[in-house]
Amino acid sequence: MMQGTGVSKSIGASSTAAPPPPPPIRGVGLGPRATMADEKEKARKGLAKKKLPTAKEMVAHYESQGMQPQEASLKVIDDLQNLLLRVVNTSKKNNMDAINNRLLRLESKLDSKPGFPQTLAIGVLSGTVVHVFPQVVSSVAHIWNSVRSSTSST
């Protein structure tokens, strides 16, 4: 560190800074979904930066329209309650939609699997096939041998 300047300089360090990385090209690298998400994020931030009016500003607005202070206050309270109810109902609806989607997915998975009676029938059938198959094969072989021996002897 150099005395009195407040600037530190390391030995062997380059005095030029590394160039900034090039801006991302749309559709290259992370794909179109990433750029669309970036655009949505920018739009959301733009909406978030928009400042909502305060209660005092709303009262002043209604008073400027000719309402009495008490009427303006009641109107502001009514507007804020309606806004709060809309936000709560929207979040409940979104939550209910998510729960409904999960239940539909679970139901479709359960419907695609066989129930107990079907599983039992499959097991009984496969057990029967395993037990009977060797006997059927030996019977077919015996018939084949009988037919072959009767046709070859004449």
Side-chain angles (χ1 to χ4, degrees):
M1 183 157 160
M2 298 175 65
Q3 291 289 344
T5 61
V7 177
S8 65
K9 191 172 186 181
S10 61
I11 300 174
S14 170
S15 62
T16 60
I25 299 172
R26 184 178 185 145
V28 176
L30 298 176
R33 287 187 179 166
T35 56
M36 291 175 70
D38 292 341
E39 290 173 5
K40 288 180 182 177
E41 183 67 22
K42 286 179 185 177
R44 188 182 64 79
K45 284 183 179 178
L47 292 175
K49 289 181 182 178
K50 185 178 177 183
K51 183 183 172 190
L52 296 175
T54 63
K56 288 181 182 181
E57 291 172 345
M58 291 175 72
V59 169
H61 171 73
Y62 287 128
E63 286 178 349
S64 69
Q65 290 184 347
M67 290 185 170
Q68 297 296 324
Q70 187 175 4
E71 289 178 68
S73 297
L74 291 174
K75 178 72 173 157
V76 167
I77 290 170
D78 186 45
D79 289 347
L80 292 175
Q81 284 178 338
N82 289 335
L83 178 66
L84 180 63
L85 286 175
R86 273 190 270 153
V87 168
V88 168
N89 286 337
T90 302
S91 65
K92 281 184 182 179
K93 183 180 182 287
N94 290 343
N95 192 20
M96 291 299 289
D97 287 344
I99 291 171
N100 192 29
N101 287 337
R102 287 180 185 172
L103 287 174
L104 287 174
R105 193 176 316 129
L106 180 64
E107 184 179 3
S108 68
K109 287 180 180 180
L110 288 175
D111 286 344
S112 67
K113 299 192 183 318
F116 181 75
Q118 292 135 343
T119 305
L120 182 65
I122 291 169
V124 167
L125 184 64
S126 64
T128 305
V129 167
V130 168
H131 250 343
V132 173
F133 187 70
Q135 295 173 358
V136 170
V137 169
S138 67
S139 299
V140 169
H142 181 68
I143 293 170
W144 181 262
N145 288 335
S146 298
V147 170
R148 189 176 62 180
S149 67
S150 69
T151 57
S152 64
S153 66
T154 54

